[in-house]
Amino acid sequence: MRLLCKMRIRMRDNHLFIFEMDFADTLRCIPMVVRMKLDLCGVKLSLRQWSHFTVAERNGLIKHPVESLNERAAYRARLLQLIRMQAGEEPKFLPVVNSGVWQKSDTVPDIILETARLFGEQEPTPDQWCSLSPLQRFALIKLTRPGHDNLNFVPAMREFFNTGLRQ
């Protein structure tokens, strides 16, 4: 079972989750892939700023890799340039990048366990949590924020664990 931790199921950065497919080319949401990259780069992007980007620019941000420090720096520079050019304002920076929780894979965060219980879903095991990619873990943690988009928590869990945890 611990082998799952070693065999990371890698989701490419350009993969969009099924429940976000309808939103990829619209103004209605910032895809989770971009949210993860923003977190890694320490930049805050509002939906209003996102709406100023063209579809091509949005797709470029979705597909641009951020796995190495150089890629991350290039992504951040491009994003800051887009915010200044397209939105006509200075970007905002996150005070502290809190990526440690979703990058660790050996234990399931309490917020995930509590949210699963809240929605009546079976809690993921440490091995299931460990088998998720950093992007998938990031998505589940972001979807636990109270009063935000946590209605997508259950569809995301079901997609990530193939058919859902509860039978």
Side-chain angles (χ1 to χ4, degrees), residues 1 11 42 47 51 74 84 87 115 148 152 156 158:
M1 291 269 181
M11 181 182 298
L47 186 58
S51 71
R84 287 183 183 112
T115 308
H148 188 54
N152 284 323
R158 289 181 177 161

Side-chain angles (χ1 to χ4, degrees), residues 6 18 22 28 43 63 70 73 75 82 105-106 109 121 124 128 133 141-142 146 157-159 164:
K6 304 291 183 218
I18 289 171
D22 293 338
R28 294 183 285 175
V43 176
K63 294 178 181 172
N70 289 339
Y75 186 91
L82 283 173
S105 63
D106 51 350
E121 292 291 313
Q128 287 174 313
S133 72
I141 288 171
K142 286 294 183 185
M157 277 185 47
R158 289 181 177 161
E159 179 182 344

